[in-house]
Amino acid sequence: MNPVITPATCADIAELRQLYYAVYGPHYPVALGTDPAEMARLIEDPYSLWLVGRCAGSGALTSSAAVRGEPGSRIGRLEGIAVHPEHRSAGLAATLTEALCAGMLDTGRLDSVYATVRTVSSGPQRVVARNGFRPLGILPNAVDLRSRESLALYARHSAGVLDRRIPVTEVPAPLLPLLRTAEAALGIRYPGVRAEPSPLPAPAPHGAAEQLEMIEAPAFVRRRFRERFPCAQGWFYPLHTPNVLLTPEDGRFEVYAYLNRAGGYASLLTAHPDPAAAAAYLEPVTRALARAGAGYVEALVPLAHREALSAFLAQGFVAGALYPAMRADGAGFHDYAVLSRSSERIDFRGVAVEPPLQPYLDCYTSAWASTHLPTSSEVAS
């Protein structure tokens, strides 16, 4: 029987919390299914769309999913896909996902929607793939649920968006395999891209890790962030709001990050006065976030910013995903790379990947080995 699909309302919140508990248990680290106030805000958000599925006969809530958007951005995130265990294998997740994409992409409200899906089984990958999402890469150790899990990054673009990508001419050499993998997986091209070495940032002074202060006052950090970046220029990290600030004792730079302790991860958003000011301090910044509980730290870097990419690569970050046409700029779109670093052991033995995602996993493991394992000449010496 076909489900009845309707927008979520605040009257559904109690049932939605029961649904997410039934699907994910007590360890779901997302406010969408656990925090009534945040759930109400998302339901009422004009830039987002939350849909629920109900049995046509009984009216029981059986499924839920949302696309979260934000003002000033034309990218959304598919999140919170949940189907009650008693109603699985009925295509409810695919039905909801297609309805969300029709409402947000086909109407022109957004240019792309991305999803991070679990890899403990291949089911979530098949759901998004059936709805036109294509793999962009792997995010190793990205979230701590019952244990540390890797996620897969998928995205679906509006018609014509991928044809308007702004070309790049040079990238750091370690990124070339990822570009070639994306070409084959997505049918896009990087013609004439050259591998170019970039100057590496000077190492941070000895003891810099102890000199960094981490300020965890979300309201203060948000106010400070808006003062530093009043026009959203010089930063871009969709759907993430900073809640921690890291700065040395003399305050010569400020690093803004989003820290999720429940999920055990963090995202580096930007730095003031500019990212270059903190490039040499990526190591102590990452260690400070790890001490705060972030076993996974990621950064989103424009593919055209060769110096920034080189700085992250020099500090042990590895590029696991490529998001083409992520940010609109006039009539064109910029590609972005997702770089990450984990302070915990990465174990892919329990990962289930569909064939379209496998090349990204192979590419990441090769890049990780090149970054973190000694070469034969180093072993010999």
Side-chain angles (χ1 to χ4, degrees):
M1 183 177 295
N2 291 330
V4 177
I5 305 298
T6 61
T9 69
C10 290
D12 298 325
I13 289 177
E15 280 186 283
L16 284 165
R17 294 182 70 194
Q18 293 175 353
L19 171 67
Y20 283 96
Y21 187 91
V23 173
Y24 295 104
H27 303 289
Y28 191 53
V30 180
L32 178 148
T34 57
D35 186 327
E38 288 297 325
M39 294 169 74
R41 277 193 282 270
L42 180 60
I43 287 171
E44 296 170 351
D45 179 14
Y47 302 96
S48 303
L49 178 61
W50 190 342
L51 298 178
V52 297
R54 293 183 177 276
C55 284
S58 66
L61 193 148
T62 59
S63 52
S64 168
V67 167
R68 185 188 298 270
E70 64 184 352
S73 174
R74 291 184 54 81
I75 184 172
R77 180 173 65 228
L78 176 66
E79 58 183 60
I81 298 178
V83 176
H84 196 280
E86 296 178 359
H87 296 273
R88 289 173 180 165
S89 303
L92 295 178
T95 299
L96 277 178
T97 301
E98 186 56 40
L100 286 166
C101 289
M104 300 298 274
L105 290 174
D106 298 348
T107 59
R109 292 176 64 181
L110 297 175
D111 294 318
S112 67
V113 171
Y114 73 91
T116 53
V117 300
R118 300 176 72 186
T119 59
V120 291
S121 69
S122 57
Q125 299 164 52
R126 291 196 294 267
V127 168
V128 294
R130 284 197 297 266
N131 289 94
F133 285 74
R134 292 188 287 178
L136 305 183
I138 194 83
L139 310 176
N141 277 5
V143 66
D144 192 357
L145 295 174
R146 292 176 178 86
S147 61
R148 182 62 66 174
E149 291 186 16
S150 297
L151 301 178
L153 179 64
Y154 280 72
R156 174 171 164 174
H157 292 77
S158 292
V161 167
L162 287 173
D163 298 327
R164 295 153 55 195
R165 294 164 43 246
I166 297 171
V168 295
T169 57
E170 305 174 337
V171 297
L175 288 184
L176 275 183
L178 179 60
L179 267 60
R180 302 310 175 210
T181 300
E183 284 182 325
L186 306 176
I188 60 177
R189 299 296 298 166
Y190 288 97
V193 173
R194 301 186 304 273
E196 290 288 337
S198 298
L200 299 180
H206 180 69
E210 288 72 32
Q211 296 169 10
L212 282 181
E213 296 179 346
M214 188 166 77
I215 301 170
E216 291 190 73
F220 168 78
V221 173
R222 287 194 298 269
R223 289 196 304 271
R224 182 82 166 185
F225 181 72
R226 293 178 184 130
E227 292 172 2
R228 297 300 199 190
F229 302 95
C231 301
Q233 295 177 352
W235 67 275
F236 173 72
Y237 214 113
L239 304 164
H240 284 71
T241 300
N243 58 5
V244 298
L245 186 158
L246 299 101
T247 184
E249 292 178 352
D250 60 10
R252 64 187 177 280
F253 66 81
E254 298 173 354
V255 173
Y256 292 87
Y258 170 75
L259 172 64
N260 186 314
R261 274 201 170 88
Y265 65 89
S267 300
L268 297 175
L269 307 189
T270 191
H272 183 273
D274 56 67
Y281 283 79
L282 283 174
E283 175 70 25
V285 164
T286 303
R287 289 186 180 276
L289 289 170
R291 288 196 301 271
Y296 169 90
V297 178
E298 71 175 13
L300 189 64
V301 183
L303 197 60
H305 287 197
R306 187 164 45 92
E307 292 79 7
L309 290 168
S310 294
F312 279 97
L313 293 170
Q315 299 297 333
F317 282 74
V318 179
L322 183 71
Y323 199 130
M326 188 176 194
R327 184 182 189 183
D329 183 4
F333 292 85
H334 291 289
D335 296 355
Y336 277 70
V338 184
L339 298 100
S340 66
R341 179 171 155 177
S342 177
S343 60
E344 302 178 26
R345 184 171 66 93
I346 299 173
D347 188 350
F348 288 132
R349 287 176 296 181
V351 167
V353 297
E354 289 286 280
L357 185 63
Q358 185 66 49
Y360 287 105
L361 181 59
D362 295 340
C363 184
Y364 178 85
T365 55
S366 177
W368 187 94
S370 298
T371 300
H372 294 289
L373 295 183
T375 63
S376 55
S377 60
E378 289 172 333
V379 172
S381 62

